[in-house]
Every structure is written in C-alpha cells, then in structure tokens.
Amino acid sequence: MATLETPLEAPKAGQHPAWKALKEHYAKIRKLHLRKLFSQDPARGDRLAVEALGIYLDYSKNRITDETLRLLLQLAEESGLRAKIDAMFRGDKINITEDRSVLHVALRAPKGTSIFVDGEDVVPAVHAVLDKMAGFSERVRSGAWKGHTGKRVRNVINVGIGGSDLGPVMAYEALRYYSQRDLTFRFVSNVDGTDFAEAVRDLDPAETLFIISSKTFTTLETMTNAHTARAWSLAGLNGDETSVAKHFVAVSTNAKEVAKFGIDTANMFEFWDWVGGRYSMDSAIGLSTMIAIGPDKFRSLLDGFHQMDLHFRETPFDRNLPVLLGLLTVWYTDYFGSQTVAILPYEQYLKRFPAYLQQLTMESNGKHVTLDGTQVAQDTSPVYWGEPGTNGQHSFYQLIHQGTRLIPCDFIAFGKPLNAIGRHHDILLANVFAQAEALAFGKTPKQVKAEGTPDWLVPHRVFEGNRPSNTILAERLTPETLGKLIALYEHSVFTQGVIWNVDSFDQWGVELGKVLAQRIVPELESKDEPKLAHDTSTNNLIRRYRTLSR
Ligand code: F6P
C-alpha cells in the first residue's frame, strides 16, 4: 500500500498559489451580475452545465467566470485532490485521527473487485453480509419470518441515531413509492420517550420486529431505546425471553455488545470500522431499506452509488459533478463569506434529504483545525438546511430573494413524477425553474416602475437578483438515482474537506456533550440532593429540574 503523506507534509489550505489568485480574482468579479454574465455570453447556460450518469447539473447561475472555474480547478489540483481520491479508494488510512481507512466506496464495489484494508480484501465480506441481508429481507417480506407467537411480522422499527437513523429514514421516505405497502416502517432515534411511545402506540408486539442499529452499540440514546423496546416487546409476549430472537436483530460492528444486550449474534448484520456512521446507509445499516424495497432494488441503489464513485474517480475535474459542486461551495464559503447552503428538493419523497445531508456535510467538515492540528485559515463547512419545494417558497424563500445574506441554493428536480396526477408535475417544475430564474436575474427598479408601481413602493418590490443556484435534474427518482445523488454529495463533501485540509471522517466535536450528559444523569436521578460542582448556571438548571420533575 502506498503511504499517505504524513500530516506534517500535507499541503496547507490557504497557502496554495490558487488561494491568493482567487482572492484577487474575487475582488475583481464580486459585483459582477448574473444578468451581465448571461447577456455577454448567451450560450452560458449551455456551456456551464454537465450531464453524467443521467444527472444534469446546471451550474451556470453561479457567480463565476471561466477564470473563476480555472482557478478553482487549479486549487483542486494544488490541494492534491487527485492523490487524495486515489488514497481513499486504495484503502489508505486517510481518517488520520482515528487511524482508519475510509471505504464506504467498498460497500458498493461489485462482486469480483478487490479493495484491501490491512492486506485483506474486504469486498467478499461486504457481499457476504449483503447476501445475508437479502435472505433475511426476503423472509420478512414474504411472511416466512414469524414472530414468537407464529404471526408474521407487519411492522419494522429501526432504532438508531445519527448515521444509524438519518440514512435509513431518508432512504425509506425517498423510496417509499417502491416499498412493500403491507409492511409498516417506523424509526425511533430520540431519547425523548415520546419518540418511542408514538412509534409503537398502535402496534402489536407479536407483529413487530426491531432492528437495533448502532455502529458502536454503546450510544446512550440507542441503547436506552433498545432496552425500552425490549421491555415493551417482552411485556406483550408474556415475558418470554426466547421471543427476543424472533423480534430483535442488530446491525453493528460490535458483536460483544450485541451479545451482551441479548441478541443472538446469528441475528447480527455486520459492518466495519472503515465505514463512518454518516456514510453507512448502504451498509447493513440499510437493512430496513432493503426490507422495504427488496434486495434487487437495494442492489440498484448500490449500483447508483458505484456509478458515481467511478465518475468521481475517473472523470476530469472540469466535468466531474462532485468536484464542481464541492469547489462551488468552497467559492461561496471562503470568498463570498456565505454561511449556509439551502438544499431544495422539488420532490416530496426527498423530504428528509436535507436532514440527511446535514449530518453528512456538517459532521464531516465542521472542523476548526487542519490535518496537522493547526487552526484553519478560512471558514470550513457551511450550514446545510432546506425543505422541499414548493413549501419552502411560502416560508423562507423571502429571505433568500430579498434578505441581506447570500444563500447559494441547490435545486433538485426530476423530469417524471412518481405519482402523475393531472398538471401537478408541470406546476411543480415550473416553480423550480422560476425560482432559480428569479434568484439569478431578479427584477430591476425600472421593471418595477414600468408596472405602474408608485415610487415609494418600488424599493420594496425590487429583486436584486444575483443569487446563485445549482439545478440538478434527473429523469425520475429511482433507487439507482438516489444512490447517485447521495454519492454526489458524499464526494462533494470529500472535495471540500481536501481543499480545507481537514479530517472529514472524524467527529470529536460530539464527544464533550456526551461525556457531560453521562455525568449529569446521576445528578438528576439521585434521591439525595447531589453535591454539584458545575458553573452556577448549570447548577441552577439542575436544581430547578429536580424540583420541577418531582
Ligand atoms: O454522535 C455522533 C455519532 O457518533 C455519529 O457519528 C453516528 O452516526 C451516531 O453518533 C450514532 O453512532 P452509533 O451508530 O455508534 O450508535
């Protein structure tokens, strides 16, 4: 295995010639309006668009010139993006702070290919688990898998949090159209008891299967929910412990903890420490997805991921969808000072996609030090957020159109609807195109006046425009397209992380709160007044809670 540069030799973001050149270039073009860019170059909409794998990315409505693109691509080269991509696919331990390979790409590698971790080809193990998942999924879908009382399973509840929840719930919602409709799927993540209570309130334990999904099998929320689920299930099944084998399966890397919980490891679906939680929805963590849509469609999903992996790895950067998307994010974050990116899917089935992307992007690149441990020289991940169109248009789009902040938007839409009803889809798509057009070109005072608007009202009705967006258009939302779309963002995140020279695959920032919560739990639960040694604010809140809760 080729060795990765040691962190100290790694290139430092902010020091490449392209950073400086981009800074100077930004100063020159920052006021340039998209109206002018389009009028000077009427073919811009044809030129600044790429189609690959059936995904059309129109990035012409960005505040860039050919020179911007040239410099951003130079930045990618100077940052060593090519070598870093190769290092990831080769299985190098690019997650340096955890000393781990980063091989979600192996989860969708076709049978017969090889990817090595510590000298071992991991692809056969990936397919062995996929086959085991397929066998189990078929039994649940056909009704062959019976519960403890002999009734067939009708309800599947995934218990997990973060990457062990957001991927499964997003994928279930996204692919619900393809799901087996006589099965009910629910997702319990929050340690707030309401989440569990509402998920099971109308369900029969004899017909309910729990998938306990946790990479570590130690996460407080998931373990608390898992124990509650166990108690609920046993209470409905005469307390017979042997029922657990029929109503609980686990997805984890930690066989020891799974066994300790009381789940037979024969009912465990394995994955590996080289799969990050937020990159795991296409591992066994996708078991609920596979049960919902069936093994064949799950394989199409994986195939979509894999096609995008190959595209990312092999396509020159100027036509590489994830690279372009990632570089544009760096451009707005570090030069325009944009704080956020809006993800706006015009597809109701993608309603949880923005939430899914929040963990993928922000847990990956929300970092304040570079690989060598020094403070980053510029902003890293923007805040990702969003809602499906057209709903967002009637709530927060006002701010995007006329507010004081620059919010780059990613519009996502499909040519064909999954539920073709009357004119709905034409109206939906007319809205997405209209929004991107309005954001880019706006409406001048002259145009507003020409409509007979009184002078005093003109400023209120002016749209400055020059608000950037990407439009991502594909034929139809299928499992394969979803795989491509997710991998597109995974690799865009990778590209950003390389430019910023951060470790996109650790998440130390979640640790402190977890540790403090573990310390506070006994202080809330203790019968006797605990001796508190926090700051006065935290001490007071704990005391007040103890009073309120009793
Ligand atoms: O708290 C963050 C995190 O570690 C995520 O990275 C992860 O996806 C989530 O918790 C759940 O972890 P696990 O799958 O180990 O329960």
Side-chain angles (χ1 to χ4, degrees), residues 61-339:
K61 294 192 185 87
N62 280 291
R63 291 170 66 170
I64 55 170
T65 64
D66 289 349
E67 178 66 358
T68 323
L69 261 184
R70 192 187 67 74
L71 289 171
L72 285 170
L73 292 165
Q74 185 187 325
L75 179 62
E77 297 292 353
E78 287 173 7
S79 304
L81 180 58
R82 172 61 52 214
K84 294 277 174 81
I85 293 173
D86 289 344
M88 171 170 71
F89 279 87
R90 203 166 46 219
D92 288 8
K93 298 196 171 169
I94 59 170
N95 176 359
I96 62 155
T97 71
E98 295 180 329
D99 194 26
R100 286 177 182 165
S101 302
V102 174
L103 275 180
H104 40 282
V105 293
L107 298 170
R108 51 264 191 160
K111 251 185 192 145
T113 53
S114 297
I115 299 181
F116 291 88
V117 175
D118 293 331
E120 191 194 329
D121 183 3
V122 297
V123 179
V126 165
H127 284 275
V129 173
L130 281 172
D131 291 345
K132 183 174 170 183
M133 289 164 65
F136 179 73
S137 300
E138 288 297 19
R139 270 177 284 151
V140 175
R141 286 165 63 82
S142 68
W145 181 278
K146 303 274 188 270
H148 183 61
T149 65
K151 284 189 176 177
R152 66 170 290 188
V153 165
R154 300 246 169 235
N155 318 306
V156 177
I157 303 189
N158 186 77
V159 177
I161 198 164
S164 301
D165 166 72
L166 287 163
V169 72
M170 179 278 288
Y172 171 67
E173 292 295 345
L175 301 176
R176 196 177 189 146
Y177 177 83
Y178 303 93
S179 69
Q180 186 165 316
R181 299 290 186 155
D182 63 356
L183 291 173
T184 296
F185 291 85
R186 304 245 166 104
F187 299 84
V188 174
S189 53
N190 200 333
V191 77
D192 182 338
T194 295
D195 205 12
F196 182 82
E198 287 293 336
V200 299
R201 66 189 299 275
D202 55 345
L203 304 186
D204 175 0
E207 298 181 336
T208 303
L209 173 78
F210 288 94
I211 303 175
I212 311 298
S213 296
S214 174
K215 180 175 170 182
T216 54
F217 231 73
T218 56
T219 304
L220 179 63
E221 293 91 332
T222 301
M223 288 304 108
T224 306
N225 278 319
H227 283 285
T228 301
R230 199 170 184 278
W232 177 83
S233 182
L234 282 173
L237 296 167
N238 295 323
D240 187 343
E241 294 272 344
T242 62
S243 67
V244 172
K246 292 286 170 204
H247 293 271
F248 283 80
V249 297
V251 179
S252 188
T253 59
N254 192 344
K256 210 169 123 212
E257 286 298 323
V258 169
K260 219 162 106 191
F261 178 82
I263 296 178
D264 186 346
T265 47
N267 291 339
M268 167 176 156
F269 299 84
E270 188 195 4
F271 66 117
W272 307 271
D273 73 359
W274 40 263
V275 183
R278 53 194 175 273
Y279 297 87
S280 68
M281 58 155 292
D282 48 337
S283 70
I285 290 290
L287 184 60
S288 58
T289 315
M290 192 191 267
I291 297 172
I293 63 172
D296 288 347
K297 294 208 168 57
F298 193 85
R299 286 185 198 279
S300 305
L301 174 77
L302 295 182
D303 182 47
F305 272 101
H306 179 64
Q307 289 180 52
M308 188 57 76
D309 294 343
L310 292 182
H311 169 83
F312 181 51
R313 193 173 188 184
E314 293 168 358
T315 310
F317 290 165
D318 62 347
R319 279 175 285 127
N320 193 309
L321 297 171
V323 172
L324 290 169
L325 213 54
L327 290 174
L328 287 166
T329 305
V330 170
W331 174 234
Y332 291 116
T333 305
D334 294 327
Y335 295 92
F336 284 84
S338 293
Q339 297 292 314

Side-chain angles (χ1 to χ4, degrees), residues 445-520:
K446 202 169 150 204
Q447 288 170 311
V448 177
K449 267 186 212 154
E451 288 171 349
T453 310
D455 282 355
W456 69 269
L457 194 53
V458 170
H460 297 274
R461 301 194 57 174
V462 163
F463 288 71
E464 280 173 359
N466 219 12
R467 319 257 158 155
S469 68
N470 293 305
T471 301
I472 296 168
L473 196 58
E475 186 182 354
R476 189 197 284 271
L477 178 58
T478 61
E480 187 184 324
T481 312
L482 182 68
K484 290 174 191 169
L485 212 49
I486 299 166
L488 167 63
Y489 279 96
E490 284 179 348
H491 298 319
S492 163
V493 164
F494 183 91
T495 301
Q496 294 164 41
V498 168
I499 306 283
W500 290 320
N501 197 27
V502 296
D503 189 332
S504 301
F505 303 101
D506 61 14
Q507 55 285 316
W508 298 106
V510 303
E511 294 300 320
L512 180 58
K514 286 187 192 175
V515 172
L516 293 180
Q518 293 283 17
R519 203 175 293 163
I520 292 173

Side-chain angles (χ1 to χ4, degrees), residues 28-37 40 63-65 466:
K28 277 191 228 141
I29 71 141
R30 71 193 176 90
K31 295 227 168 102
L32 205 54
H33 202 290
L34 281 163
R35 275 183 217 129
K36 194 160 181 198
L37 287 168
Q40 282 175 345
R63 291 170 66 170
I64 55 170
T65 64
N466 219 12

